[in-house]
Amino acid sequence: MSNILNIQKCLMIKGNDASSFVDSLISNNLDNEKLKPSYLLRPDGKINHWFFTHIVNKEILIYQESNELKKILDSLMKYAIRVECEFLIKRVNHSLIGKIGNGVIKIVDDISEDAVSWEDYEIINEIPSRTIINEGLLPNETKWLDDFVDFEKGCFLGQEQASRIKYRGNPRRVLITNESGQQEMSKI
């Protein structure tokens, strides 16, 4: 299967406080050069959302499935108190190409006929699906902890709990994708 996603919409955040606001909430550093996967954790350290993000012309762009973008926006708005930011879900026609863990994920300005759905991309890359996230999943229960979370960046929402588990504990379960393409939690 392909590691290409067609992206129809993105969440754009711009304004004087955009970079500091988003950086204080998401689990990975914002980067002008690289498209990075990241989590938005809940205060208890469990995953609330996953997405790709980067900065283009001082605008922060968050890529995820169209239906999920509204939920991400709603989650961010809970913390948007006294910040000078504009939030907009806008239409785009891009393809995301690359595989997590290879270090090279990029956006191209064309729609690909070889693209997979977001759900298939999650299965291919063993990224937690919305169903698994809703069950309460910690970042260290996935295989992508070091790709989605930068523990050197400083504080972010849920960081204290995520760090405590990474450095002091071992997960009791781990997300796996079985042979039939279904995700499930497996006890370790």
Side-chain angles (χ1 to χ4, degrees):
M1 285 189 130
S2 169
N3 266 306
I4 300 172
L5 279 168
N6 284 338
I7 300 172
Q8 299 166 346
K9 292 183 180 179
C10 74
L11 172 57
M12 180 183 66
I13 306 165
K14 63 182 181 177
N16 292 337
D17 299 330
S19 184
S20 60
F21 170 69
V22 174
D23 194 53
S24 71
L25 294 175
I26 66 171
S27 65
N28 218 337
N29 278 321
L30 292 168
D31 198 322
N32 286 321
E33 303 297 322
K34 294 181 182 176
L35 185 69
K36 289 186 173 180
S38 189
Y39 292 128
L40 177 60
L41 302 177
R42 300 186 318 215
D44 64 0
K46 293 182 179 175
I47 299 169
N48 197 10
H49 306 282
W50 77 267
F51 44 82
F52 294 98
T53 185
H54 70 170
I55 301 174
V56 176
N57 300 325
K58 297 186 180 183
E59 299 173 346
I60 298 166
L61 302 177
I62 294 177
Y63 301 104
Q64 183 37 285
E65 181 180 25
S66 297
N67 295 336
E68 193 66 20
L69 286 175
K70 175 70 172 123
K71 295 173 187 173
I72 293 169
L73 175 58
D74 290 343
S75 294
L76 291 173
M77 292 305 291
K78 291 177 185 176
Y79 302 99
I81 300 168
R82 291 187 291 250
V83 293
E84 287 186 45
C85 294
E86 181 182 336
F87 301 85
L88 174 69
I89 295 177
K90 69 178 200 173
R91 186 169 261 317
V92 294
N93 287 311
H94 302 311
S95 290
L96 181 144
I97 299 173
K99 188 172 183 176
I100 297 171
N102 291 351
V104 180
I105 301 170
K106 62 183 180 178
I107 294 285
V108 295
D109 289 332
D110 298 322
I111 296 295
S112 173
E113 293 181 20
D114 297 329
V116 296
S117 68
W118 283 91
E119 293 83 13
D120 287 342
Y121 191 83
E122 290 170 341
I123 297 298
I124 292 166
N125 290 286
E126 297 181 67
I127 301 171
S129 67
R130 175 58 32 203
T131 303
I132 294 292
I133 288 173
N134 288 341
E135 291 178 13
L137 180 70
L138 295 165
N140 72 333
E141 294 174 330
T142 71
K143 74 184 245 180
W144 298 116
L145 179 66
D146 293 329
D147 291 281
F148 277 77
V149 181
D150 182 353
F151 289 101
E152 303 296 318
K153 78 171 257 190
C155 292
F156 55 89
L157 185 63
Q159 177 266 333
E160 190 173 306
Q161 292 78 2
S163 292
R164 186 179 307 122
I165 292 167
K166 175 179 171 64
Y167 294 112
R168 290 190 175 171
N170 294 318
R172 291 177 272 178
R173 61 188 190 153
V174 66
L175 175 67
I176 62 167
T177 302
N178 63 30
E179 292 174 8
S180 64
Q182 299 294 316
Q183 291 185 338
E184 57 188 36
M185 297 305 297
S186 177
K187 289 188 180 192
I188 296 178

